[in-house]
Amino acid sequence: MNKYIVSVGLLLITISSFSQDLELNIHKNKLADFLKIEQLLGSERIENKSHYVSKTGIAQPIQFRRKQNGIPDLIVQYFYFQKDSTIDNIMYEWDETNFKEENASIPSYEIEAFINKSKELFNEISNKYGQSKSEGDLDDTSKIAKGDFEKTDTWNTVDSTGIELYTILSTKYLKEGATIITPTYRIRLSVQNLAEDETKDDILKPTENKIKELDSAFISFLSELNNKNIKKAKLYLSASIISTETNYQLESLRKNLRFDDSLTIYFTGVQIGLDGSNYLMLQYKYKRDSNMPPKDLIKVIFDKENKIVGIQPTKRK
């Protein structure tokens, strides 16, 4: 009888310790430990319908849906290393567009619930890791109608955990040509295992200067392409593809790009070619695309001479 009572007590303590929305300690636990947490919380495992371009060795994320009150259900994504199941990144996101095509305007009490949730997360993280580096604020709610109500807080901790909390609330709707801006209500929390990055081969990492060089080359290529200077645009292509890349193909690419919106770097990494060679890769998103993941992405692959060997636009439904 006593043994039974003790066992129940231990179970209740275990569940209680995982009762919060987030888990910040990603260094000691592996994927299996987090799967147990989701099981204890009664989370629903859901299909991953998107393909994420991640660092070498990172598996496609495992996703869960947790029921919430007053705000959209929470989506949790676990990105992990295939070799040993250690965690690279955990992404928490509260966003109704994870479950439907787009947002409509929501009542003020739901907006207040979003703000309260963001502040709750901020306080919980700050209590553990101290002051954050902060941009924006959640004080002037008049900015919601303008689309400028957002806040980003980042913490780089002594235990090599990188944390970013991002909140955006916008009732703005705008249609300009092919570009449509719809209302956005999102809280996104990323918990990154920075220690894992330090163990990887630095040779395969694009440096900050190299990223600037590649970005400059691609933007120059786009400028020439937009102005229909096909001959000049080809100067930015690698010798390995320039003989096969026809003017028609470049014109088709030009028609599939949106020049009415600027591009920003979304991800950098290494692409392994069919010959086993490593190529540096930049992935871009359109600046006005606030979806996560973005609906439109453009992957650009470069050779060692900063020449373009491949451009792959993708669109998520």
Side-chain angles (χ1 to χ4, degrees), residues 176-198:
E176 293 181 347
T179 301
I180 300 178
I181 299 175
T182 58
T184 303
Y185 315 99
R186 178 182 302 119
I187 300 173
R188 185 170 64 244
L189 172 65
S190 173
V191 185
Q192 182 77 38
N193 186 349
L194 301 179
E196 286 289 351
D197 286 342
E198 296 168 2

Side-chain angles (χ1 to χ4, degrees), residues 49-109:
K49 296 182 179 180
S50 300
H51 180 80
Y52 294 84
V53 180
S54 303
K55 296 175 292 187
T56 302
I58 304 294
Q60 290 299 299
I62 293 179
Q63 298 187 142
F64 290 89
R65 178 174 181 171
R66 298 185 195 168
K67 293 293 183 180
Q68 304 284 282
N69 293 317
I71 59 174
D73 285 350
L74 168 62
I75 295 296
V76 187
Q77 296 179 308
Y78 295 101
F79 295 80
Y80 62 98
F81 287 94
Q82 291 174 314
K83 66 175 185 177
D84 58 8
S85 294
T86 55
I87 301 297
D88 174 68
N89 183 29
I90 304 175
M91 185 76 73
Y92 301 91
E93 188 171 79
W94 295 261
D95 186 341
E96 193 65 31
T97 58
N98 286 321
F99 316 110
K100 61 183 183 181
E101 187 67 23
E102 62 182 40
N103 279 323
S105 294
I106 63 176
S108 58
Y109 66 86

Side-chain angles (χ1 to χ4, degrees), residues 220-222 224-225 228-237 250 308:
S220 297
F221 167 79
L222 287 181
E224 300 296 352
L225 193 64
K228 300 184 179 181
N229 295 326
I230 301 299
K231 186 175 181 179
K232 289 184 177 180
K234 283 187 174 182
L235 296 177
Y236 296 94
L237 301 181
L250 288 173
I308 298 170

Side-chain angles (χ1 to χ4, degrees), residues 105 144-148 169-174 181-185:
S105 294
I144 294 176
K146 305 173 186 176
D148 298 326
L169 302 176
S170 170
T171 59
K172 184 177 181 180
Y173 179 89
L174 178 66
I181 299 175
T182 58
T184 303
Y185 315 99

Side-chain angles (χ1 to χ4, degrees), residues 10-23 37 40-41 124:
L10 289 174
L11 178 61
L12 291 176
I13 291 172
T14 302
I15 295 176
S16 176
S17 66
F18 297 131
S19 63
Q20 299 301 314
D21 278 329
L22 63 147
E23 175 59 57
I37 293 174
L40 289 170
L41 291 172
E124 185 171 349

Side-chain angles (χ1 to χ4, degrees), residues 251-267:
E251 178 60 22
S252 296
L253 174 64
R254 189 184 71 82
K255 290 180 179 180
N256 278 283
L257 298 175
R258 287 168 24 204
F259 294 98
D260 61 338
D261 192 0
S262 59
L263 290 169
T264 181
I265 295 175
Y266 177 67
F267 182 81

Side-chain angles (χ1 to χ4, degrees), residues 31 36 45 52 70 78 91 116 129 139 166 186 273 314:
L31 177 63
K36 291 178 182 177
R45 184 165 175 175
Y52 294 84
Y78 295 101
M91 185 76 73
N116 290 339
Y129 292 114
D139 299 326
Y166 173 71
R186 178 182 302 119
T314 58

